[in-house]
Amino acid sequence: MKASIVLYTSDLRLHDHPPLRAAAREAEKVVPLFVRDPGIEKAGFLAPNRAAFLADCLGDLDAGLRERGGRLVVREGDPVRVVRELVGSTGAERVHVAAGLSAYARSRADRLRAALEEAGAQLVEHEAVITALPPGEVVPGGKDHFAVFTPYHRQWATQRLRDPLGAPRQVSVPSHVRSDEVPRRADVPGVSPALAEGGEREGRARLAAWCRGGVGRYEDLHDDLAADGTSRLSPYLHFGALSAAECVRRARTTGGAGADAFVRQLCWRDFHHQVLAARPAVAHEDYRPRGDRWRTGRAAEREAAAWREGRTGYPVVDAAMRQLAHEGWMHNRGRLLAASFLTKTLYLDWRLGAAHFLDLLVDGDLANNQMNWQWVAGTGTDTRPGRVLNPLTQARKYDPRGDYVRRWVPELRGVEGRAVHEPWKLGPGAYEGYPAPLVDLAEGRDRFRAARERG
Ligand SMILES: Cc1cc2nc3c(=O)[nH]c(=O)nc-3n(C[C@H](O)[C@H](O)[C@H](O)COP(=O)(O)OP(=O)(O)OC[C@H]3O[C@@H](n4cnc5c(N)ncnc54)[C@H](O)[C@@H]3O)c2cc1C
């Protein structure tokens, strides 16, 4: 075959990439294509941190392709129009793409299929590679998705995952195909100061280091806020710079309790994806409505703003929110308590919190963000929707020495030990510039419980 096109979407890698492998095998020339789609940019999916990380991923993909004799072709516009044009100019007979999971991706594939048929070419849609196991692969009898994690995990864990593919050795791109400039992180304004570096190479180096070391201590350290003992692989997985299936396979060969605990988290990722794939509306609607009438009005707005700024007066919540602003990433335990504080203690709509997280999270995606927010808010798949996380108890348990708070809340750096979690108990002058608690925890909890009982 003369030429094939590989359309990259959220799978920005060379390794374990079935569309690239298939194209490189069947055709003399391959066009590895990434289309900057104004539709996606307009919908707000490319907040600055993710735009910067994406630029890193594209730059790295281009570099990896160049090492193999090729290059990345970047274009801007409607992907269907761009692909059609390239089919015309290269004579490509096939366009390879990995199946997307979102409604947008599905409609893009339908439009592409129709347009290619007209042009006498064929769309080859490979299985979804965003998750380790594609949504719909395991389902309970008579239903289209699992609504509870534990039975999903039980079945998921018994499935054989496909063998990860190596990267192709050689990719030859038709010389006459022009490309726009590959985007650069330096051109993206408003990026968090300590945003991680993106790209497949960086992701693979982190995965290798993680499997050699970190994962062994994951079970013990994953909830310890100050230890930073999680993999931090989420953004690489989000952009597909790493293959989830490969992460599972490599962690499993590492073995040990830490690997099991880590793989279980990757299963959570697949779980949320299969819920959203089956119920796309729950990106914005309650999965299990509880009759909430979330607080609105001036006080509610003021409290939401204090939460966003990391000025709630509860140090562990504020530390987590400030980590988010600084790194574009937040520790999972921090995400849980910041989200519980907003939705339950302050009784504010989970959508407010989810939107703020999506503005900043480098790994922010609809499935994991919205479904985790709903899980915490008790409108999602949590089987104990009424639980309220107490930030003080949580802080004592998961930041027992107070180091996480001191790292992120400079106003409290002079306070020693766990006293840092209750600054209001220290005399005046022991700390300066740090706000008083926004709300009494017991009052917040009772308000939430009363609302849910009424609902
Ligand atoms: C309110 C809230 C919002 C969240 N928003 C997102 C989001 O937008 N994108 C996102 O990837 N994760 C989200 N998470 C899940 C989780 O917090 C992050 O995946 C994790 O903190 C990423 O850090 P890590 O890579 O070090 O994770 P590790 O602990 O090393 O876990 C390994 C991988 O498993 C997956 N994972 C871990 N925990 C979860 C989980 N609870 N749900 C789904 N996948 C998980 C991630 O891909 C992660 O990279 C959210 C959690 C909460 C409570």
Side-chain angles (χ1 to χ4, degrees):
M1 196 175 295
K2 209 170 111 203
S4 290
I5 296 172
V6 175
L7 179 60
Y8 275 103
T9 58
S10 40
D11 45 3
L12 305 175
R13 61 177 181 259
L14 298 170
H15 293 83
D16 196 25
H17 197 280
L20 179 64
R21 266 298 272 261
R25 268 217 192 113
E26 75 189 7
E28 283 159 43
K29 299 281 179 192
V30 174
V31 183
L33 172 68
F34 181 81
V35 184
R36 301 178 72 176
D37 180 349
I40 290 187
E41 291 180 18
K42 235 188 263 155
F45 287 125
L46 267 190
N49 286 338
R50 288 193 298 283
F53 200 90
L54 171 68
D56 286 352
C57 290
L58 294 174
D60 187 55
L61 188 56
D62 183 47
L65 285 162
R66 283 178 191 275
E67 280 169 13
R68 289 163 174 81
R71 64 197 159 90
L72 182 66
V73 173
V74 177
R75 293 281 180 86
E76 187 167 353
D78 170 31
V80 177
R81 187 184 53 72
V82 173
V83 169
R84 228 196 121 146
E85 230 171 71
L86 277 169
V87 163
S89 66
T90 60
E93 291 165 49
R94 286 175 155 196
V95 177
H96 294 266
V97 68
L101 304 180
S102 65
Y104 185 79
R106 286 199 289 257
S107 94
R108 180 179 56 206
D110 289 344
R111 288 198 301 126
L112 205 47
R113 192 173 298 105
L116 290 176
E117 235 165 61
E118 246 174 51
Q122 186 197 355
L123 180 72
V124 184
E125 203 176 7
H126 296 256
E127 71 173 1
V129 292
I130 295 171
T131 46
L133 206 64
E137 195 92 347
V138 291
V139 283
K143 304 217 169 99
D144 60 356
H145 72 289
F146 274 94
V148 177
F149 176 72
T150 309
Y152 176 74
H153 179 239
R154 216 176 292 130
Q155 278 214 31
W156 183 94
T158 63
Q159 302 299 305
R160 193 189 144 74
L161 301 181
R162 61 191 167 76
D163 293 321
L165 300 166
R169 289 217 184 91
Q170 189 75 31
V171 179
S172 175
V173 180
S175 54
H176 69 276
V177 173
R178 66 155 194 90
S179 170
D180 297 345
E181 251 181 57
V182 178
R184 294 178 327 153
R185 164 193 286 232
D187 297 332
V188 182
V191 174
S192 290
L195 186 76
E197 183 187 338
E200 181 178 18
R201 239 174 293 217
E202 178 68 20
R204 292 187 75 78
R206 286 183 185 223
L207 175 63
W210 176 247
C211 288
R212 274 197 308 273
V215 70
R217 298 180 355 156
Y218 183 74
E219 200 177 18
D220 294 335
L221 291 186
H222 73 275
D223 262 331
D224 183 330
L225 282 158
D228 214 350
T230 68
S231 69
R232 288 184 178 250
L233 294 177
S234 53
Y236 304 91
L237 287 161
H238 172 69
F239 285 94
L242 279 181
S243 145
E246 189 177 351
C247 289
V248 172
R249 299 279 296 240
R250 285 183 61 176
R252 277 183 179 155
T253 38
T254 309
D260 288 345
F262 172 68
V263 167
R264 187 181 161 85
Q265 292 313 111
L266 290 165
C267 178
W268 268 108
R269 183 172 178 274
D270 281 15
F271 172 72
H272 292 313
H273 274 291
Q274 58 97 46
V275 173
L276 193 70
R279 299 276 180 284
V282 299
H284 308 290
E285 292 168 8
D286 291 345
Y287 182 71
R288 294 195 194 288
R290 307 277 181 203
D292 287 303
R293 282 190 292 276
W294 305 104
R295 292 172 57 230
T296 53
R298 281 258 174 83
E301 275 166 29
R302 206 186 53 238
E303 289 170 25
W307 175 83
R308 284 188 201 100
E309 287 159 19
R311 295 188 58 77
T312 67
Y314 287 98
V316 75
V317 173
D318 294 340
M321 297 304 291
R322 295 182 194 192
Q323 179 179 29
L324 173 63
H326 193 75
E327 296 190 353
W329 183 88
M330 191 198 285
H331 192 286
N332 180 58
R333 182 53 50 182
R335 297 187 202 204
L336 288 166
L337 26 110
S340 176
F341 189 81
L342 186 83
T343 56
K344 290 180 167 165
T345 308
L346 297 180
Y347 197 48
L348 296 174
D349 193 340
W350 64 265
R351 278 158 278 249
L352 292 178
H356 179 67
F357 270 33
L358 280 185
D359 280 348
L360 290 171
L361 277 177
V362 63
D363 62 24
D365 72 41
L366 276 186
N368 288 306
N369 191 55
Q370 314 303 84
M371 295 321 296
N372 270 298
W373 268 95
Q374 294 226 41
W375 190 89
V376 176
T379 60
T381 57
D382 188 5
T383 47
R384 286 172 54 204
R387 73 174 113 190
V388 178
L389 300 183
N390 178 318
L392 264 183
T393 324
Q394 293 272 312
R396 288 188 199 117
K397 193 162 171 198
Y398 299 117
D399 187 26
R401 292 168 306 279
D403 293 337
Y404 180 71
V405 164
R406 271 185 297 278
R407 190 177 304 154
W408 293 109
V409 186
E411 303 94 297
L412 299 175
R413 261 181 205 155
V415 182
E416 285 178 15
R418 60 201 281 170
V420 78
H421 295 309
E422 297 172 274
W424 54 89
K425 282 195 178 162
L426 305 165
Y431 61 93
E432 216 157 284
Y434 187 70
L438 205 55
V439 62
D440 177 78
L441 293 178
E443 272 173 31
R445 182 200 57 214
D446 293 346
R447 172 176 57 194
F448 166 72
R449 292 205 171 136
R452 280 285 160 95
E453 271 162 31
R454 273 197 310 273

Short mmCIF file of all heavy atoms in Angstrom, two decimals, residues 111-148:
data_model
loop_
_atom_site.label_atom_id
_atom_site.label_comp_id
_atom_site.label_asym_id
_atom_site.label_seq_id
_atom_site.Cartn_x
_atom_site.Cartn_y
_atom_site.Cartn_z
N ARG A 111 -18.41 10.82 11.26
CA ARG A 111 -18.27 11.79 10.16
C ARG A 111 -17.08 11.42 9.28
O ARG A 111 -17.11 11.53 8.06
CB ARG A 111 -18.08 13.20 10.72
CG ARG A 111 -19.36 13.78 11.33
CD ARG A 111 -19.27 15.29 11.47
NE ARG A 111 -18.17 15.72 12.29
CZ ARG A 111 -17.24 16.60 11.93
NH1 ARG A 111 -17.28 17.17 10.75
NH2 ARG A 111 -16.27 16.92 12.76
N LEU A 112 -16.02 10.98 9.94
CA LEU A 112 -14.80 10.60 9.23
C LEU A 112 -15.07 9.41 8.31
O LEU A 112 -14.65 9.39 7.14
CB LEU A 112 -13.74 10.24 10.27
CG LEU A 112 -12.27 10.35 9.92
CD1 LEU A 112 -11.95 11.68 9.27
CD2 LEU A 112 -11.44 10.21 11.20
N ARG A 113 -15.78 8.43 8.84
CA ARG A 113 -16.07 7.22 8.06
C ARG A 113 -16.83 7.60 6.79
O ARG A 113 -16.48 7.17 5.68
CB ARG A 113 -16.89 6.24 8.90
CG ARG A 113 -16.99 4.86 8.28
CD ARG A 113 -17.65 3.85 9.20
NE ARG A 113 -16.92 3.63 10.43
CZ ARG A 113 -17.28 4.09 11.63
NH1 ARG A 113 -18.37 4.81 11.77
NH2 ARG A 113 -16.56 3.84 12.70
N ALA A 114 -17.85 8.45 6.97
CA ALA A 114 -18.68 8.84 5.83
C ALA A 114 -17.84 9.62 4.81
O ALA A 114 -17.91 9.36 3.59
CB ALA A 114 -19.86 9.68 6.32
N ALA A 115 -17.04 10.55 5.30
CA ALA A 115 -16.24 11.39 4.38
C ALA A 115 -15.23 10.53 3.63
O ALA A 115 -14.96 10.75 2.44
CB ALA A 115 -15.52 12.49 5.16
N LEU A 116 -14.64 9.56 4.31
CA LEU A 116 -13.62 8.73 3.66
C LEU A 116 -14.24 7.81 2.62
O LEU A 116 -13.66 7.57 1.57
CB LEU A 116 -12.84 7.92 4.70
CG LEU A 116 -11.93 8.76 5.59
CD1 LEU A 116 -11.26 7.90 6.66
CD2 LEU A 116 -10.85 9.46 4.76
N GLU A 117 -15.40 7.31 2.96
CA GLU A 117 -16.09 6.45 1.99
C GLU A 117 -16.29 7.20 0.68
O GLU A 117 -16.02 6.68 -0.40
CB GLU A 117 -17.44 6.05 2.55
CG GLU A 117 -17.63 4.54 2.60
CD GLU A 117 -18.80 4.17 3.47
OE1 GLU A 117 -19.93 4.60 3.13
OE2 GLU A 117 -18.58 3.51 4.50
N GLU A 118 -16.74 8.43 0.82
CA GLU A 118 -16.95 9.27 -0.37
C GLU A 118 -15.66 9.45 -1.16
O GLU A 118 -15.66 9.51 -2.39
CB GLU A 118 -17.39 10.67 0.08
CG GLU A 118 -18.80 11.01 -0.32
CD GLU A 118 -19.18 12.35 0.29
OE1 GLU A 118 -18.41 13.32 0.13
OE2 GLU A 118 -20.24 12.40 0.94
N ALA A 119 -14.55 9.53 -0.41
CA ALA A 119 -13.26 9.77 -1.07
C ALA A 119 -12.61 8.46 -1.52
O ALA A 119 -11.46 8.46 -1.98
CB ALA A 119 -12.33 10.51 -0.11
N GLY A 120 -13.28 7.34 -1.32
CA GLY A 120 -12.74 6.05 -1.75
C GLY A 120 -11.68 5.51 -0.81
O GLY A 120 -10.87 4.66 -1.19
N ALA A 121 -11.65 5.99 0.43
CA ALA A 121 -10.69 5.47 1.41
C ALA A 121 -11.47 4.82 2.56
O ALA A 121 -12.69 4.88 2.62
CB ALA A 121 -9.81 6.60 1.92
N GLN A 122 -10.69 4.24 3.50
CA GLN A 122 -11.36 3.47 4.54
C GLN A 122 -10.88 3.94 5.92
O GLN A 122 -9.69 4.19 6.12
CB GLN A 122 -11.00 1.99 4.34
CG GLN A 122 -11.72 1.05 5.25
CD GLN A 122 -11.04 -0.32 5.30
OE1 GLN A 122 -10.07 -0.57 4.56
NE2 GLN A 122 -11.52 -1.19 6.15
N LEU A 123 -11.83 4.03 6.85
CA LEU A 123 -11.45 4.32 8.23
C LEU A 123 -11.27 2.99 8.96
O LEU A 123 -12.17 2.15 8.97
CB LEU A 123 -12.54 5.13 8.94
CG LEU A 123 -12.22 5.46 10.40
CD1 LEU A 123 -11.12 6.51 10.48
CD2 LEU A 123 -13.45 5.93 11.15
N VAL A 124 -10.10 2.80 9.57
CA VAL A 124 -9.90 1.59 10.38
C VAL A 124 -9.88 2.04 11.84
O VAL A 124 -8.96 2.72 12.29
CB VAL A 124 -8.56 0.90 10.03
CG1 VAL A 124 -8.41 -0.40 10.82
CG2 VAL A 124 -8.46 0.65 8.54
N GLU A 125 -10.96 1.69 12.52
CA GLU A 125 -11.06 2.11 13.92
C GLU A 125 -10.57 0.97 14.80
O GLU A 125 -11.19 -0.09 14.85
CB GLU A 125 -12.51 2.48 14.24
CG GLU A 125 -12.60 3.42 15.41
CD GLU A 125 -14.02 3.89 15.69
OE1 GLU A 125 -14.95 3.38 15.05
OE2 GLU A 125 -14.17 4.76 16.57
N HIS A 126 -9.46 1.20 15.49
CA HIS A 126 -8.91 0.17 16.38
C HIS A 126 -9.60 0.27 17.73
O HIS A 126 -10.23 1.27 18.04
CB HIS A 126 -7.40 0.38 16.54
CG HIS A 126 -6.65 0.21 15.26
ND1 HIS A 126 -5.91 -0.89 14.97
CD2 HIS A 126 -6.56 1.03 14.18
CE1 HIS A 126 -5.37 -0.77 13.76
NE2 HIS A 126 -5.75 0.39 13.26
N GLU A 127 -9.42 -0.76 18.56
CA GLU A 127 -10.08 -0.71 19.87
C GLU A 127 -9.55 0.47 20.68
O GLU A 127 -8.44 0.96 20.44
CB GLU A 127 -9.89 -2.03 20.62
CG GLU A 127 -8.48 -2.24 21.11
CD GLU A 127 -8.35 -3.48 22.00
OE1 GLU A 127 -9.32 -4.20 22.23
OE2 GLU A 127 -7.22 -3.71 22.46
N ALA A 128 -10.37 0.91 21.65
CA ALA A 128 -9.98 2.04 22.48
C ALA A 128 -8.73 1.69 23.27
O ALA A 128 -8.64 0.58 23.81
CB ALA A 128 -11.11 2.39 23.44
N VAL A 129 -7.76 2.60 23.29
CA VAL A 129 -6.54 2.31 24.04
C VAL A 129 -6.34 3.31 25.19
O VAL A 129 -5.30 3.37 25.80
CB VAL A 129 -5.28 2.33 23.12
CG1 VAL A 129 -5.34 1.16 22.14
CG2 VAL A 129 -5.15 3.64 22.37
N ILE A 130 -7.38 4.07 25.47
CA ILE A 130 -7.29 5.04 26.58
C ILE A 130 -7.27 4.29 27.91
O ILE A 130 -6.56 4.65 28.84
CB ILE A 130 -8.49 6.01 26.52
CG1 ILE A 130 -8.41 6.85 25.25
CG2 ILE A 130 -8.55 6.88 27.77
CD1 ILE A 130 -9.64 7.68 24.98
N THR A 131 -8.07 3.24 27.99
CA THR A 131 -8.17 2.47 29.22
C THR A 131 -7.39 1.16 29.05
O THR A 131 -7.03 0.78 27.93
CB THR A 131 -9.64 2.14 29.49
OG1 THR A 131 -10.23 1.67 28.27
CG2 THR A 131 -10.39 3.36 29.97
N ALA A 132 -7.18 0.44 30.15
CA ALA A 132 -6.52 -0.86 30.05
C ALA A 132 -7.46 -1.86 29.38
O ALA A 132 -7.07 -2.62 28.51
CB ALA A 132 -6.11 -1.35 31.43
N LEU A 133 -8.72 -1.81 29.79
CA LEU A 133 -9.74 -2.67 29.20
C LEU A 133 -10.81 -1.75 28.62
O LEU A 133 -11.32 -0.88 29.33
CB LEU A 133 -10.35 -3.51 30.34
CG LEU A 133 -10.95 -4.85 29.99
CD1 LEU A 133 -9.88 -5.79 29.45
CD2 LEU A 133 -11.58 -5.46 31.24
N PRO A 134 -11.15 -1.92 27.35
CA PRO A 134 -12.13 -0.98 26.77
C PRO A 134 -13.47 -1.06 27.49
O PRO A 134 -13.88 -2.14 27.91
CB PRO A 134 -12.27 -1.46 25.32
CG PRO A 134 -11.07 -2.32 25.05
CD PRO A 134 -10.65 -2.90 26.37
N PRO A 135 -14.16 0.08 27.65
CA PRO A 135 -15.50 0.07 28.26
C PRO A 135 -16.39 -0.92 27.53
O PRO A 135 -16.31 -1.05 26.30
CB PRO A 135 -16.00 1.50 28.06
CG PRO A 135 -14.79 2.32 27.89
CD PRO A 135 -13.77 1.43 27.24
N GLY A 136 -17.22 -1.61 28.27
CA GLY A 136 -18.14 -2.56 27.65
C GLY A 136 -17.56 -3.96 27.55
O GLY A 136 -18.25 -4.91 27.25
N GLU A 137 -16.25 -4.08 27.81
CA GLU A 137 -15.60 -5.40 27.70
C GLU A 137 -16.11 -6.35 28.79
O GLU A 137 -16.32 -7.52 28.54
CB GLU A 137 -14.09 -5.21 27.82
CG GLU A 137 -13.31 -6.40 27.37
CD GLU A 137 -12.91 -6.31 25.90
OE1 GLU A 137 -13.45 -5.45 25.18
OE2 GLU A 137 -12.03 -7.09 25.50
N VAL A 138 -16.28 -5.82 30.00
CA VAL A 138 -16.96 -6.63 31.02
C VAL A 138 -18.20 -5.86 31.46
O VAL A 138 -18.13 -4.67 31.76
CB VAL A 138 -16.05 -6.95 32.24
CG1 VAL A 138 -14.94 -7.89 31.86
CG2 VAL A 138 -15.50 -5.70 32.88
N VAL A 139 -19.32 -6.55 31.47
CA VAL A 139 -20.59 -5.92 31.89
C VAL A 139 -21.38 -6.95 32.72
O VAL A 139 -21.25 -8.15 32.49
CB VAL A 139 -21.46 -5.48 30.69
CG1 VAL A 139 -20.96 -4.21 30.07
CG2 VAL A 139 -21.57 -6.56 29.64
N PRO A 140 -22.18 -6.46 33.65
CA PRO A 140 -23.01 -7.42 34.39
C PRO A 140 -24.16 -7.90 33.50
O PRO A 140 -24.54 -7.18 32.56
CB PRO A 140 -23.53 -6.59 35.56
CG PRO A 140 -23.32 -5.17 35.21
CD PRO A 140 -22.40 -5.08 34.04
N GLY A 141 -24.66 -9.08 33.75
CA GLY A 141 -25.71 -9.64 32.90
C GLY A 141 -26.87 -8.67 32.67
O GLY A 141 -27.42 -8.11 33.63
N GLY A 142 -27.21 -8.46 31.41
CA GLY A 142 -28.38 -7.65 31.07
C GLY A 142 -28.20 -6.15 31.23
O GLY A 142 -29.14 -5.37 31.05
N LYS A 143 -27.00 -5.68 31.59
CA LYS A 143 -26.79 -4.23 31.78
C LYS A 143 -25.64 -3.75 30.88
O LYS A 143 -24.87 -4.55 30.37
CB LYS A 143 -26.45 -3.94 33.24
CG LYS A 143 -27.49 -4.44 34.23
CD LYS A 143 -27.64 -3.48 35.38
CE LYS A 143 -28.85 -3.81 36.23
NZ LYS A 143 -28.53 -4.57 37.41
N ASP A 144 -25.58 -2.41 30.73
CA ASP A 144 -24.53 -1.91 29.84
C ASP A 144 -23.28 -1.43 30.57
O ASP A 144 -22.29 -1.07 29.95
CB ASP A 144 -25.10 -0.79 28.93
CG ASP A 144 -25.62 0.38 29.74
OD1 ASP A 144 -25.62 0.31 31.00
OD2 ASP A 144 -26.06 1.38 29.13
N HIS A 145 -23.33 -1.38 31.91
CA HIS A 145 -22.12 -1.01 32.65
C HIS A 145 -22.25 -1.43 34.11
O HIS A 145 -23.36 -1.72 34.58
CB HIS A 145 -21.84 0.49 32.57
CG HIS A 145 -22.79 1.33 33.38
ND1 HIS A 145 -24.12 1.52 33.03
CD2 HIS A 145 -22.62 2.04 34.53
CE1 HIS A 145 -24.70 2.30 33.91
NE2 HIS A 145 -23.83 2.64 34.83
N PHE A 146 -21.12 -1.46 34.80
CA PHE A 146 -21.14 -1.73 36.24
C PHE A 146 -21.38 -0.42 36.99
O PHE A 146 -20.72 0.58 36.72
CB PHE A 146 -19.80 -2.31 36.69
CG PHE A 146 -19.70 -3.79 36.52
CD1 PHE A 146 -19.14 -4.33 35.37
CD2 PHE A 146 -20.16 -4.66 37.51
CE1 PHE A 146 -19.03 -5.70 35.21
CE2 PHE A 146 -20.06 -6.04 37.35
CZ PHE A 146 -19.50 -6.56 36.21
N ALA A 147 -22.29 -0.45 37.96
CA ALA A 147 -22.56 0.74 38.75
C ALA A 147 -21.82 0.72 40.08
O ALA A 147 -21.80 1.72 40.80
CB ALA A 147 -24.07 0.86 39.00
N VAL A 148 -21.21 -0.42 40.41
CA VAL A 148 -20.48 -0.53 41.68
C VAL A 148 -19.08 -1.06 41.38
O VAL A 148 -18.91 -1.97 40.56
CB VAL A 148 -21.23 -1.48 42.66
CG1 VAL A 148 -20.45 -1.67 43.95
CG2 VAL A 148 -22.63 -0.93 42.94
#
